[in-house]
Amino acid sequence: MKELIVTGGAGFIGSNFCHWTYNNHPDVHLTVLDALTYAGNRDNLRGIPEDNLTFVHGDICDRELVDRLFSGADGCVHFAAESHNDNSIVAPESFVRTNIGGTYTLLEAARAYDVRFHHISTDEVYGDLALDDPQRFTEESPYHPSSPYSSTKAASDMLVRAWVRTYGVRATISNCSNNYGPYQHVEKFIPRQITNILSGLSPKLYGDGLNVRDWIHVDDHSSAVWTILERGKLGETYLIGADGEKSNLEVLKAILRELDQPEDAFEWVRDRPGHDRRYAIDPSKISAQLEWRPMHVDFEDGLKETIAWYRDNGEWWGAEKEATEERYRRQSQ
Ligand code: NAD
Ligand code: DAU
């Protein structure tokens, strides 16, 4: 895999994947295709030398452009998406266009040029679990998405499966749990609460704060994706998780502690409509079959590093912060 296209490489997980790949496999040349929506930032890739990275500002729905890039590539890791549930509830159209239409366009190019394709998806396609359910999601769990975002991701997974079976496209899929780490947009839970405190605003908790997310450090997501590219079986789906279940209230209290704030220094706000209760991944398949293990197993340590990153990179998030909070105010969130 010498020539790798990374769609959405200027976003949170895509840019971390590019840094991880450059640091661990400097012989690979990356071509990032990114439309630079509000969630994309060219600066996220700063530090990766030009010899290792070509940046293409463009849309994954642009067939001509996608064909041109695929004609010279060995593989594609497809991160590009509209990724935020709250936005999908207010304005779903771009989610349908990018997440379904964009994935279709890429699959057609992968078929035409026989490019190895890895599709990045989410555990949200499986819907949610009750807090006391002993089960976790596995590769056999039925699809049951709740939000416009997760339903478009579910649709994109189905397209990949159909293109594998019908046309023999050489593809794999991974469904990962909630990522945290540097370069995550301030609309998302952890960065929103950290940057609220750093800006003198109250952190905001939805519902009763007991919803559970299964946290994984973004570098562990990157190493898992690389493992699948190297050793994954074509046509297979792998769930990626790091046994990181925590309630939102627990995570918020850990952030408040680290930033020397009282434990109750936050506001309850309007709940997200259709809010999924709990996500939890059983990573047995990737662990047993591909021998992948997460490295960042201490969540509190990873959170401390993430808080330090936001504290040190105020310029990076300052510009987006005001517009993001204005959007949330309009939604009473
Ligand atoms: P993000 O919103 O931070 O980044 C998305 C990137 O895609 C941005 O750089 C944006 O400019 C780009 N993009 C959007 N529409 C585009 C288009 N039409 N053409 C080209 N580029 C476009 O998202 P993220 O959190 O980094 O998520 C990346 C992927 O991982 C998504 O597919 C998401 O569904 C999946 N995922 C995310 C998480 C998570 O916790 N964030 C967990 C599991 C899976
Ligand atoms: O599970 C994987 C998914 O994780 C990815 O597919 C999505 O792209 C990613 O955005 C994330 O989705 P969530 O909806 O779980 O993440 P979010 O950061 O939006 O919210 C995490 C939890 O925190 C959720 O229960 C809602 C809650 N929340 C969120 C915000 C922004 C709050 O309580 N307050 C907030 O201000």
Side-chain angles (χ1 to χ4, degrees), residues 45-98:
L45 295 163
R46 202 183 283 158
I48 305 178
E50 275 177 25
D51 282 354
N52 290 74
L53 178 84
T54 303
F55 182 80
V56 179
H57 183 194
D59 195 319
I60 56 167
C61 302
D62 178 345
R63 180 68 202 266
E64 222 177 285
L65 172 63
V66 166
D67 269 2
R68 183 158 57 75
L69 299 179
F70 273 61
S71 67
D74 301 318
C76 171
V77 185
H78 172 34
F79 292 95
E82 287 292 342
S83 68
H84 193 42
N85 275 299
D86 291 317
N87 296 344
S88 82
I89 293 165
V90 176
E93 190 173 338
S94 60
F95 288 74
V96 173
R97 178 183 179 277
T98 289

Side-chain angles (χ1 to χ4, degrees), residues 83-86 122-124 149 176-178 187-189 192-193 204-206 211 213 215 248 272 275-276 279 328:
S83 68
H84 193 42
N85 275 299
D86 291 317
T122 169
D123 57 0
E124 294 192 19
Y149 161 68
C176 188
S177 60
N178 284 61
E187 68 192 354
K188 303 295 194 315
F189 180 63
R192 185 182 186 204
Q193 314 314 337
K204 306 282 192 287
L205 207 47
Y206 296 173
N211 301 64
R213 295 296 182 264
W215 294 98
N248 294 337
R272 173 184 286 172
H275 196 176
D276 280 339
Y279 305 139
Y328 276 126

Side-chain angles (χ1 to χ4, degrees), residues 39-296:
N41 185 340
R42 178 71 181 82
D43 286 346
N44 294 359
L45 295 163
R46 202 183 283 158
I48 305 178
E50 275 177 25
D51 282 354
N52 290 74
L53 178 84
T54 303
F55 182 80
V56 179
H57 183 194
D59 195 319
I60 56 167
C61 302
D62 178 345
R63 180 68 202 266
E64 222 177 285
L65 172 63
V66 166
D67 269 2
R68 183 158 57 75
L69 299 179
F70 273 61
S71 67
D74 301 318
C76 171
V77 185
H78 172 34
F79 292 95
E82 287 292 342
S83 68
H84 193 42
N85 275 299
D86 291 317
N87 296 344
S88 82
I89 293 165
V90 176
E93 190 173 338
S94 60
F95 288 74
V96 173
R97 178 183 179 277
T98 289
N99 300 358
I100 305 177
T103 303
Y104 160 73
T105 307
L106 296 168
L107 283 168
E108 281 294 81
R111 171 157 89 104
Y113 297 97
D114 189 25
V115 167
R116 166 82 170 87
F117 191 76
H118 181 70
H119 179 59
I120 301 292
S121 193
T122 169
D123 57 0
E124 294 192 19
V125 299
Y126 301 114
D128 61 355
L129 299 162
L131 294 181
D132 60 355
D133 191 333
Q135 309 272 0
R136 298 192 289 176
F137 298 136
T138 72
E139 288 76 5
E140 312 310 323
S141 299
Y143 272 52
H144 200 69
S146 317
S147 72
Y149 161 68
S150 54
S151 62
T152 60
K153 292 298 291 188
S156 67
D157 292 9
M158 295 302 159
L159 291 179
V160 179
R161 289 175 181 201
W163 261 242
V164 167
R165 176 153 174 173
T166 309
Y167 303 116
V169 166
R170 293 182 296 125
T172 40
I173 300 175
S174 55
N175 298 77
C176 188
S177 60
N178 284 61
N179 287 219
Y180 72 97
Y183 301 112
Q184 187 167 30
H185 194 277
V186 289
E187 68 192 354
K188 303 295 194 315
F189 180 63
I190 288 181
R192 185 182 186 204
Q193 314 314 337
I194 298 170
T195 56
N196 272 11
I197 296 169
L198 295 177
S199 315
L201 303 169
S202 316
K204 306 282 192 287
L205 207 47
Y206 296 173
D208 60 7
L210 299 181
N211 301 64
V212 167
R213 295 296 182 264
D214 189 354
W215 294 98
I216 181 172
H217 192 279
V218 66
D219 283 345
D220 284 331
H221 189 180
S222 294
S223 71
V225 168
W226 191 268
T227 302
I228 297 167
L229 281 176
E230 266 186 349
R231 301 201 288 278
K233 194 168 160 216
L234 294 179
E236 293 281 309
T237 291
Y238 298 91
L239 263 54
I240 304 172
D243 297 323
E245 282 189 71
K246 299 225 168 329
S247 75
N248 294 337
L249 189 56
E250 279 178 273
V251 174
L252 179 54
K253 284 189 173 171
I255 295 171
L256 287 163
R257 261 197 313 278
E258 182 57 23
L259 286 168
D260 297 322
Q261 302 292 308
E263 277 213 338
D264 59 353
F266 64 87
E267 270 175 56
W268 298 102
V269 292
R270 187 174 76 89
D271 202 0
R272 173 184 286 172
H275 196 176
D276 280 339
R277 196 60 167 156
R278 169 173 164 244
Y279 305 139
I281 292 262
D282 175 353
S284 303
K285 178 176 175 183
I286 189 167
S287 140
Q289 295 186 8
L290 305 186
E291 296 177 345
W292 170 82
R293 301 277 182 282
M295 304 284 288
H296 300 262

